[in-house]
């Protein structure tokens, strides 16, 4: 298992589906006010995260549980460690989305992790190719507080 710092972690996911940018909360009309958008983008940059689909999660122990990628409910997801800080990921999906993929993850200094994967398959008879990268950063020890400088209401939306 991979050891990391417990506490509040922020992540950001970017990627493409069939060559088109993966939509994020920034792209959904009415999801955020213009002020929230700029506050969120600034907060992500401050944490050193790419502007993508943001998420906040509480890591309660030192064992880093690799989160499942978004939109993969009917997929099995196997992480195979290469060493104590990195490894490969194999996934296969047999629901509406059928296909398989692979990727890798790496944890740096207990406070940062990256995961990237790509998969090809079919969904509702149409071919689909997904590529996704997620960057995770440790924010602070206290999970009950929003990240410094972030609107608490905005922080709630990201959990």
């Amino acid at each position: 298992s991979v050891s990391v710092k417990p506490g509040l972690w922020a992540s950001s996911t970017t990627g493409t589906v069939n060559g088109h940018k993966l939509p994020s909360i920034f792209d959904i009309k009415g999801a955020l006010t213009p002020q929230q958008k700029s506050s969120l983008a600034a907060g992500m940059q401050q944490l050193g995260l790419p502007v993508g689909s943001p998420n906040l999660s509480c890591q309660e122990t030192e064992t880093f549980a690799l989160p499942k990628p978004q939109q993969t409910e009917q997929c099995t997801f196997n992480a195979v460690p290469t060493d104590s800080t990195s490894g490969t990921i194999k996934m296969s999906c047999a629901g509406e989305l059928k296909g398989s993929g692979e990727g890798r993850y790496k944890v740096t200094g207990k406070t940062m992790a990256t995961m990237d994967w790509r998969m090809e398959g079919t969904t509702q008879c149409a071919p689909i190719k997904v590529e996704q990268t997620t960057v995770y950063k440790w924010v602070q020890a206290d999970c009950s507080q929003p990240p410094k400088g972030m609107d608490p209401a905005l922080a709630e939306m990201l959990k």
Side-chain angles (χ1 to χ4, degrees), residues 61-73:
T61 66
E62 285 189 15
T63 306
F64 187 58
L66 276 174
K68 272 191 158 191
Q70 297 168 333
Q71 298 131 0
T72 52
E73 291 83 28

Side-chain angles (χ1 to χ4, degrees), residues 93-104:
C93 304
E96 265 179 43
L97 171 64
K98 290 180 179 37
S100 61
E102 58 186 24
R104 52 180 196 239

Side-chain angles (χ1 to χ4, degrees), residues 48-132:
L49 291 172
V51 176
S53 288
N55 185 41
L56 291 172
S57 60
C58 189
Q59 177 71 36
E60 296 189 1
T61 66
E62 285 189 15
T63 306
F64 187 58
L66 276 174
K68 272 191 158 191
Q70 297 168 333
Q71 298 131 0
T72 52
E73 291 83 28
Q74 294 158 317
C75 300
T76 59
F77 192 67
N78 256 336
V80 181
T82 307
D83 54 37
S84 65
T85 58
S86 64
T88 56
I89 297 160
K90 292 252 184 275
M91 57 194 290
S92 73
C93 304
E96 265 179 43
L97 171 64
K98 290 180 179 37
S100 61
E102 58 186 24
R104 52 180 196 239
Y105 67 88
K106 183 169 179 42
V107 176
T108 312
K110 295 194 178 206
T111 57
M112 182 184 167
T114 52
M115 178 165 74
D116 59 82
W117 58 273
R118 60 185 164 280
M119 75 168 294
E120 290 188 46
T122 54
T123 175
Q124 294 158 343
C125 307
I128 186 167
K129 185 178 176 188
V130 183
E131 294 189 12
Q132 204 165 290

Side-chain angles (χ1 to χ4, degrees), residues 8-12 39-51 54-56 111-113 135-140 146-150 158:
L8 185 67
W9 282 68
S11 68
S12 176
S39 159
L40 184 54
M44 290 171 82
Q45 282 166 336
Q46 196 180 338
L47 292 167
L49 291 172
V51 176
N55 185 41
L56 291 172
T111 57
M112 182 184 167
V135 179
Y136 304 86
K137 286 272 181 91
W138 181 84
V139 180
Q140 61 202 22
K148 200 172 146 220
M150 187 182 279
L158 302 182

